[in-house]
PDB file of all heavy atoms in Angstrom:
ATOM      1  N   VAL A 205       5.369 -39.066 -34.047  1.00 95.00           N
ATOM      2  CA  VAL A 205       6.630 -39.811 -34.088  1.00 95.00           C
ATOM      3  C   VAL A 205       6.325 -41.299 -34.034  1.00 95.00           C
ATOM      4  O   VAL A 205       5.707 -41.788 -33.096  1.00 95.00           O
ATOM      5  CB  VAL A 205       7.533 -39.407 -32.902  1.00 95.00           C
ATOM      6  CG1 VAL A 205       8.929 -39.963 -33.108  1.00 95.00           C
ATOM      7  CG2 VAL A 205       7.589 -37.889 -32.754  1.00 95.00           C
ATOM      8  N   ASN A 207       7.694 -45.460 -35.537  1.00 93.00           N
ATOM      9  CA  ASN A 207       8.866 -46.310 -35.758  1.00 93.00           C
ATOM     10  C   ASN A 207       9.157 -46.452 -37.240  1.00 93.00           C
ATOM     11  O   ASN A 207       8.254 -46.500 -38.078  1.00 93.00           O
ATOM     12  CB  ASN A 207       8.632 -47.701 -35.170  1.00 93.00           C
ATOM     13  CG  ASN A 207       8.647 -47.640 -33.670  1.00 93.00           C
ATOM     14  OD1 ASN A 207       9.500 -47.030 -33.063  1.00 93.00           O
ATOM     15  ND2 ASN A 207       7.644 -48.299 -33.058  1.00 93.00           N
ATOM     16  N   VAL A 267       3.092 -33.376 -29.327  1.00 95.00           N
ATOM     17  CA  VAL A 267       3.991 -34.433 -29.774  1.00 95.00           C
ATOM     18  C   VAL A 267       3.335 -35.765 -29.436  1.00 95.00           C
ATOM     19  O   VAL A 267       2.968 -36.019 -28.294  1.00 95.00           O
ATOM     20  CB  VAL A 267       5.365 -34.342 -29.081  1.00 95.00           C
ATOM     21  CG1 VAL A 267       6.267 -35.464 -29.569  1.00 95.00           C
ATOM     22  CG2 VAL A 267       6.011 -32.993 -29.346  1.00 95.00           C
ATOM     23  N   GLN A 268       3.220 -36.593 -30.463  1.00 95.00           N
ATOM     24  CA  GLN A 268       2.584 -37.901 -30.254  1.00 95.00           C
ATOM     25  C   GLN A 268       3.611 -38.969 -30.601  1.00 95.00           C
ATOM     26  O   GLN A 268       4.094 -39.021 -31.737  1.00 95.00           O
ATOM     27  CB  GLN A 268       1.396 -38.004 -31.198  1.00 95.00           C
ATOM     28  CG  GLN A 268       0.222 -38.700 -30.629  1.00 95.00           C
ATOM     29  CD  GLN A 268      -1.012 -38.434 -31.491  1.00 95.00           C
ATOM     30  OE1 GLN A 268      -0.992 -37.574 -32.359  1.00 95.00           O
ATOM     31  NE2 GLN A 268      -2.037 -39.189 -31.254  1.00 95.00           N
ATOM     32  N   ILE A 269       3.910 -39.792 -29.615  1.00 95.00           N
ATOM     33  CA  ILE A 269       4.924 -40.833 -29.838  1.00 95.00           C
ATOM     34  C   ILE A 269       4.250 -42.191 -29.657  1.00 95.00           C
ATOM     35  O   ILE A 269       3.682 -42.466 -28.591  1.00 95.00           O
ATOM     36  CB  ILE A 269       6.079 -40.677 -28.822  1.00 95.00           C
ATOM     37  CG1 ILE A 269       6.641 -39.237 -28.872  1.00 95.00           C
ATOM     38  CG2 ILE A 269       7.175 -41.696 -29.115  1.00 95.00           C
ATOM     39  CD1 ILE A 269       7.631 -38.934 -27.792  1.00 95.00           C
ATOM     40  N   SER A 270       4.314 -43.018 -30.691  1.00 94.00           N
ATOM     41  CA  SER A 270       3.648 -44.339 -30.548  1.00 94.00           C
ATOM     42  C   SER A 270       4.668 -45.455 -30.504  1.00 94.00           C
ATOM     43  O   SER A 270       5.512 -45.600 -31.391  1.00 94.00           O
ATOM     44  CB  SER A 270       2.660 -44.596 -31.677  1.00 94.00           C
ATOM     45  OG  SER A 270       2.676 -43.591 -32.616  1.00 94.00           O
ATOM     46  N   GLU A 271       4.564 -46.224 -29.436  1.00 94.00           N
ATOM     47  CA  GLU A 271       5.321 -47.467 -29.225  1.00 94.00           C
ATOM     48  C   GLU A 271       6.776 -47.339 -29.646  1.00 94.00           C
ATOM     49  O   GLU A 271       7.246 -48.025 -30.558  1.00 94.00           O
ATOM     50  CB  GLU A 271       4.640 -48.601 -29.999  1.00 94.00           C
ATOM     51  CG  GLU A 271       3.199 -48.785 -29.521  1.00 94.00           C
ATOM     52  CD  GLU A 271       2.477 -49.888 -30.277  1.00 94.00           C
ATOM     53  OE1 GLU A 271       2.971 -50.310 -31.340  1.00 94.00           O
ATOM     54  OE2 GLU A 271       1.430 -50.325 -29.779  1.00 94.00           O
ATOM     55  N   PRO A 272       7.478 -46.457 -28.994  1.00 94.00           N
ATOM     56  CA  PRO A 272       8.858 -46.180 -29.445  1.00 94.00           C
ATOM     57  C   PRO A 272       9.802 -47.356 -29.231  1.00 94.00           C
ATOM     58  O   PRO A 272       9.702 -48.088 -28.247  1.00 94.00           O
ATOM     59  CB  PRO A 272       9.264 -44.988 -28.570  1.00 94.00           C
ATOM     60  CG  PRO A 272       8.390 -45.053 -27.379  1.00 94.00           C
ATOM     61  CD  PRO A 272       7.107 -45.673 -27.793  1.00 94.00           C
ATOM     62  N   HIS A 273      10.768 -47.489 -30.215  1.00 94.00           N
ATOM     63  CA  HIS A 273      11.833 -48.486 -30.105  1.00 94.00           C
ATOM     64  C   HIS A 273      13.167 -47.782 -30.049  1.00 94.00           C
ATOM     65  O   HIS A 273      14.161 -48.242 -30.603  1.00 94.00           O
ATOM     66  CB  HIS A 273      11.819 -49.417 -31.345  1.00 94.00           C
ATOM     67  CG  HIS A 273      10.569 -50.217 -31.448  1.00 94.00           C
ATOM     68  ND1 HIS A 273      10.234 -50.903 -32.582  1.00 94.00           N
ATOM     69  CD2 HIS A 273       9.561 -50.431 -30.572  1.00 94.00           C
ATOM     70  CE1 HIS A 273       9.076 -51.520 -32.398  1.00 94.00           C
ATOM     71  NE2 HIS A 273       8.650 -51.243 -31.194  1.00 94.00           N
ATOM     72  N   VAL A 285       2.097 -33.792 -24.696  1.00 95.00           N
ATOM     73  CA  VAL A 285       2.892 -34.930 -25.185  1.00 95.00           C
ATOM     74  C   VAL A 285       2.113 -36.183 -24.856  1.00 95.00           C
ATOM     75  O   VAL A 285       1.688 -36.379 -23.722  1.00 95.00           O
ATOM     76  CB  VAL A 285       4.271 -34.991 -24.497  1.00 95.00           C
ATOM     77  CG1 VAL A 285       4.999 -36.267 -24.882  1.00 95.00           C
ATOM     78  CG2 VAL A 285       5.105 -33.776 -24.849  1.00 95.00           C
ATOM     79  N   SER A 286       1.926 -37.037 -25.854  1.00 94.00           N
ATOM     80  CA  SER A 286       1.324 -38.334 -25.524  1.00 94.00           C
ATOM     81  C   SER A 286       2.251 -39.420 -26.033  1.00 94.00           C
ATOM     82  O   SER A 286       2.732 -39.378 -27.166  1.00 94.00           O
ATOM     83  CB  SER A 286      -0.078 -38.453 -26.103  1.00 94.00           C
ATOM     84  OG  SER A 286      -0.054 -38.235 -27.487  1.00 94.00           O
ATOM     85  N   LEU A 287       2.525 -40.350 -25.167  1.00 95.00           N
ATOM     86  CA  LEU A 287       3.426 -41.454 -25.498  1.00 95.00           C
ATOM     87  C   LEU A 287       2.719 -42.761 -25.158  1.00 95.00           C
ATOM     88  O   LEU A 287       2.392 -43.011 -23.997  1.00 95.00           O
ATOM     89  CB  LEU A 287       4.732 -41.320 -24.701  1.00 95.00           C
ATOM     90  CG  LEU A 287       5.834 -42.302 -25.062  1.00 95.00           C
ATOM     91  CD1 LEU A 287       7.194 -41.676 -24.837  1.00 95.00           C
ATOM     92  CD2 LEU A 287       5.733 -43.607 -24.306  1.00 95.00           C
ATOM     93  N   SER A 288       2.488 -43.562 -26.156  1.00 94.00           N
ATOM     94  CA  SER A 288       1.870 -44.872 -25.857  1.00 94.00           C
ATOM     95  C   SER A 288       2.967 -45.916 -25.928  1.00 94.00           C
ATOM     96  O   SER A 288       3.556 -46.154 -26.995  1.00 94.00           O
ATOM     97  CB  SER A 288       0.726 -45.184 -26.821  1.00 94.00           C
ATOM     98  OG  SER A 288       0.949 -44.601 -28.072  1.00 94.00           O
ATOM     99  N   PRO A 289       3.282 -46.517 -24.782  1.00 93.00           N
ATOM    100  CA  PRO A 289       4.388 -47.479 -24.746  1.00 93.00           C
ATOM    101  C   PRO A 289       4.019 -48.767 -25.492  1.00 93.00           C
ATOM    102  O   PRO A 289       2.848 -49.141 -25.582  1.00 93.00           O
ATOM    103  CB  PRO A 289       4.581 -47.747 -23.247  1.00 93.00           C
ATOM    104  CG  PRO A 289       3.716 -46.764 -22.526  1.00 93.00           C
ATOM    105  CD  PRO A 289       2.652 -46.335 -23.471  1.00 93.00           C
ATOM    106  N   ASP A 290       5.044 -49.420 -25.993  1.00 93.00           N
ATOM    107  CA  ASP A 290       4.863 -50.737 -26.604  1.00 93.00           C
ATOM    108  C   ASP A 290       4.863 -51.741 -25.454  1.00 93.00           C
ATOM    109  O   ASP A 290       5.817 -51.805 -24.682  1.00 93.00           O
ATOM    110  CB  ASP A 290       6.009 -50.991 -27.595  1.00 93.00           C
ATOM    111  CG  ASP A 290       5.779 -52.264 -28.387  1.00 93.00           C
ATOM    112  OD1 ASP A 290       5.037 -53.133 -27.890  1.00 93.00           O
ATOM    113  OD2 ASP A 290       6.342 -52.363 -29.489  1.00 93.00           O
ATOM    114  N   GLU A 291       3.812 -52.546 -25.360  1.00 91.00           N
ATOM    115  CA  GLU A 291       3.688 -53.513 -24.256  1.00 91.00           C
ATOM    116  C   GLU A 291       4.858 -54.475 -24.237  1.00 91.00           C
ATOM    117  O   GLU A 291       5.246 -54.981 -23.188  1.00 91.00           O
ATOM    118  CB  GLU A 291       2.392 -54.324 -24.415  1.00 91.00           C
ATOM    119  CG  GLU A 291       1.139 -53.480 -24.493  1.00 91.00           C
ATOM    120  CD  GLU A 291       0.745 -52.882 -23.165  1.00 91.00           C
ATOM    121  OE1 GLU A 291       0.614 -53.652 -22.192  1.00 91.00           O
ATOM    122  OE2 GLU A 291       0.629 -51.649 -23.079  1.00 91.00           O
ATOM    123  N   TYR A 295      11.003 -49.916 -20.818  1.00 94.00           N
ATOM    124  CA  TYR A 295      11.398 -48.499 -20.825  1.00 94.00           C
ATOM    125  C   TYR A 295      11.821 -48.057 -19.435  1.00 94.00           C
ATOM    126  O   TYR A 295      11.355 -48.584 -18.434  1.00 94.00           O
ATOM    127  CB  TYR A 295      10.230 -47.613 -21.251  1.00 94.00           C
ATOM    128  CG  TYR A 295       9.626 -47.936 -22.595  1.00 94.00           C
ATOM    129  CD1 TYR A 295       8.459 -48.704 -22.682  1.00 94.00           C
ATOM    130  CD2 TYR A 295      10.208 -47.475 -23.766  1.00 94.00           C
ATOM    131  CE1 TYR A 295       7.906 -48.993 -23.918  1.00 94.00           C
ATOM    132  CE2 TYR A 295       9.650 -47.766 -25.001  1.00 94.00           C
ATOM    133  CZ  TYR A 295       8.495 -48.529 -25.071  1.00 94.00           C
ATOM    134  OH  TYR A 295       7.951 -48.806 -26.285  1.00 94.00           O
ATOM    135  N   PHE A 297      11.622 -44.539 -17.560  1.00 94.00           N
ATOM    136  CA  PHE A 297      11.047 -43.213 -17.741  1.00 94.00           C
ATOM    137  C   PHE A 297      11.617 -42.190 -16.770  1.00 94.00           C
ATOM    138  O   PHE A 297      11.843 -42.477 -15.602  1.00 94.00           O
ATOM    139  CB  PHE A 297       9.527 -43.248 -17.554  1.00 94.00           C
ATOM    140  CG  PHE A 297       8.803 -43.903 -18.692  1.00 94.00           C
ATOM    141  CD1 PHE A 297       8.368 -45.214 -18.601  1.00 94.00           C
ATOM    142  CD2 PHE A 297       8.571 -43.196 -19.869  1.00 94.00           C
ATOM    143  CE1 PHE A 297       7.709 -45.815 -19.665  1.00 94.00           C
ATOM    144  CE2 PHE A 297       7.922 -43.801 -20.930  1.00 94.00           C
ATOM    145  CZ  PHE A 297       7.485 -45.120 -20.837  1.00 94.00           C
ATOM    146  N   PHE A 309       4.034 -43.375 -15.674  1.00 92.00           N
ATOM    147  CA  PHE A 309       4.597 -44.383 -16.579  1.00 92.00           C
ATOM    148  C   PHE A 309       5.424 -45.350 -15.760  1.00 92.00           C
ATOM    149  O   PHE A 309       6.229 -44.936 -14.920  1.00 92.00           O
ATOM    150  CB  PHE A 309       5.482 -43.695 -17.630  1.00 92.00           C
ATOM    151  CG  PHE A 309       4.701 -42.896 -18.630  1.00 92.00           C
ATOM    152  CD1 PHE A 309       4.287 -41.605 -18.354  1.00 92.00           C
ATOM    153  CD2 PHE A 309       4.367 -43.445 -19.874  1.00 92.00           C
ATOM    154  CE1 PHE A 309       3.565 -40.865 -19.286  1.00 92.00           C
ATOM    155  CE2 PHE A 309       3.656 -42.708 -20.799  1.00 92.00           C
ATOM    156  CZ  PHE A 309       3.247 -41.417 -20.506  1.00 92.00           C
ATOM    157  N   LEU A 322      11.170 -37.212 -20.704  1.00 95.00           N
ATOM    158  CA  LEU A 322      10.158 -36.291 -21.222  1.00 95.00           C
ATOM    159  C   LEU A 322      10.009 -35.123 -20.255  1.00 95.00           C
ATOM    160  O   LEU A 322       9.692 -35.325 -19.093  1.00 95.00           O
ATOM    161  CB  LEU A 322       8.802 -37.000 -21.352  1.00 95.00           C
ATOM    162  CG  LEU A 322       8.793 -38.307 -22.163  1.00 95.00           C
ATOM    163  CD1 LEU A 322       7.467 -39.027 -21.987  1.00 95.00           C
ATOM    164  CD2 LEU A 322       9.029 -38.013 -23.637  1.00 95.00           C
ATOM    165  N   LEU A 329       1.048 -34.494 -20.008  1.00 94.00           N
ATOM    166  CA  LEU A 329       1.706 -35.726 -20.477  1.00 94.00           C
ATOM    167  C   LEU A 329       0.731 -36.868 -20.282  1.00 94.00           C
ATOM    168  O   LEU A 329       0.250 -37.112 -19.180  1.00 94.00           O
ATOM    169  CB  LEU A 329       2.984 -35.960 -19.671  1.00 94.00           C
ATOM    170  CG  LEU A 329       3.702 -37.281 -19.921  1.00 94.00           C
ATOM    171  CD1 LEU A 329       4.128 -37.392 -21.381  1.00 94.00           C
ATOM    172  CD2 LEU A 329       4.917 -37.405 -19.019  1.00 94.00           C
ATOM    173  N   SER A 330       0.464 -37.578 -21.382  1.00 93.00           N
ATOM    174  CA  SER A 330      -0.497 -38.685 -21.240  1.00 93.00           C
ATOM    175  C   SER A 330      -0.028 -39.897 -22.029  1.00 93.00           C
ATOM    176  O   SER A 330       0.965 -39.825 -22.766  1.00 93.00           O
ATOM    177  CB  SER A 330      -1.875 -38.241 -21.734  1.00 93.00           C
ATOM    178  OG  SER A 330      -1.816 -37.967 -23.119  1.00 93.00           O
ATOM    179  N   LYS A 331      -0.755 -40.955 -21.872  1.00 91.00           N
ATOM    180  CA  LYS A 331      -0.371 -42.214 -22.521  1.00 91.00           C
ATOM    181  C   LYS A 331      -1.111 -42.440 -23.834  1.00 91.00           C
ATOM    182  O   LYS A 331      -0.768 -43.306 -24.610  1.00 91.00           O
ATOM    183  CB  LYS A 331      -0.669 -43.396 -21.591  1.00 91.00           C
ATOM    184  CG  LYS A 331       0.350 -43.564 -20.501  1.00 91.00           C
ATOM    185  CD  LYS A 331       0.069 -44.834 -19.708  1.00 91.00           C
ATOM    186  CE  LYS A 331       0.942 -44.883 -18.476  1.00 91.00           C
ATOM    187  NZ  LYS A 331       0.452 -45.891 -17.538  1.00 91.00           N
ATOM    188  N   ASP A 332      -2.161 -41.714 -24.067  1.00 80.00           N
ATOM    189  CA  ASP A 332      -2.926 -41.981 -25.296  1.00 80.00           C
ATOM    190  C   ASP A 332      -2.658 -40.931 -26.358  1.00 80.00           C
ATOM    191  O   ASP A 332      -2.102 -39.877 -26.112  1.00 80.00           O
ATOM    192  CB  ASP A 332      -4.409 -42.048 -24.982  1.00 80.00           C
ATOM    193  CG  ASP A 332      -4.885 -40.786 -24.314  1.00 80.00           C
ATOM    194  OD1 ASP A 332      -4.058 -39.870 -24.182  1.00 80.00           O
ATOM    195  OD2 ASP A 332      -6.049 -40.728 -23.913  1.00 80.00           O
TER     196      ASP A 332
END
Side-chain angles (χ1 to χ4, degrees):
Chain A
V205 191
N207 289 314
V267 180
Q268 217 165 348
I269 306 172
S270 4
E271 301 179 345
H273 296 167
V285 173
S286 56
L287 187 149
S288 30
D290 187 336
E291 303 287 306
Y295 303 99
F297 287 100
F309 289 83
L322 306 169
L329 173 60
S330 65
K331 282 186 190 165
D332 56 4

